[in-house]
Amino acid sequence: MKIAIGSDHGGFEARKYIVGNLHKSGYDVIDVGCVEPATCDYVDYAVKVCELLQNGDADFGILICGTGIGMSIVANKFCGIRAALCVSTDFAKLARNHNDANVLCTSGRFVSKETALEIVDVFLSESFDGDRADGIRHKKRVDKIALIDERERKCRTV
Ligand code: RB5
């Protein structure tokens, strides 16, 4: 599984910690930066990660900024991206189970790096309930989101 990850300065430490642990767990990780903890714009890293997903170069994205809010706003502008801001493992589980989220956004300032890693682990290990017979309602809802993508700007499927 290929994971693209990016952060601004607000998520720098958490990103480094998560990248190290993802490597240890055997994930194929594309780390798009930022390269140093100096102030920078979260927008640029959200764009890089979402483009990797849109181009089929990554299966899931992880974005971390101070709150996770800026990252999630940017990521959800991209067709085919379903970005979920998660500050607990319960959110991460439901983001995959119900929303088929493909980008996890979290906070480098309001969540400890250890909790952020737990959130990532849950997000990457859970699956979409809409692929199961008893979860058709979730598929129907996510399909409606895709229709909005189509209506707004014809998109590449991710
Ligand atoms: C940077 O100070 C901060 O605004 C950013 O990391 C993020 O929280 C934005 O949503």
Side-chain angles (χ1 to χ4, degrees):
M1 189 189 289
K2 266 198 182 170
I3 313 298
I5 182 167
S7 79
D8 70 355
H9 52 291
F12 185 85
E13 292 301 332
R15 193 190 88 242
K16 289 284 173 197
Y17 181 73
I18 289 165
V19 167
N21 278 280
L22 288 178
H23 278 138
K24 275 188 219 155
S25 302
Y27 287 103
D28 195 349
V29 183
I30 307 171
D31 184 354
V32 304
C34 57
V35 292
E36 54 182 18
T39 186
C40 59
D41 301 333
Y42 58 82
V43 182
D44 302 332
Y45 302 95
V47 168
K48 285 175 199 274
V49 163
C50 291
E51 286 181 348
L52 285 166
L53 263 77
Q54 283 192 326
N55 293 333
D57 295 323
D59 303 300
F60 290 100
I62 300 168
L63 290 167
I64 313 168
C65 62
T67 57
I69 295 171
M71 289 296 199
S72 59
I73 290 172
V74 178
N76 280 312
K77 299 281 181 202
F78 283 75
C79 285
I81 299 297
R82 293 175 299 280
L85 174 53
C86 300
V87 293
S88 72
T89 51
D90 286 339
F91 274 41
K93 177 175 173 8
L94 290 170
R96 289 291 303 123
N97 295 166
H98 290 189
N99 311 113
D100 200 18
N102 49 15
V103 173
L104 166 69
C105 302
T106 194
S107 164
R109 290 187 181 145
F110 296 90
V111 170
S112 71
K113 65 180 196 253
E114 292 82 8
T115 300
L117 179 62
E118 285 175 27
I119 290 169
V120 167
D121 284 341
V122 168
F123 186 84
L124 296 178
S125 61
E126 288 290 331
S127 57
F128 181 40
D129 285 353
D131 293 331
R132 300 189 337 214
D134 61 354
I136 295 298
R137 66 190 183 285
H138 297 302
K139 177 162 173 29
K140 184 177 147 231
R141 293 162 189 164
V142 170
D143 286 348
K144 282 188 175 183
I145 297 173
L147 287 178
I148 298 171
D149 275 348
E150 274 178 40
R151 194 188 67 198
E152 291 296 307
R153 211 172 327 107
K154 314 315 151 201
C155 75
R156 294 164 278 185
T157 309
V158 298

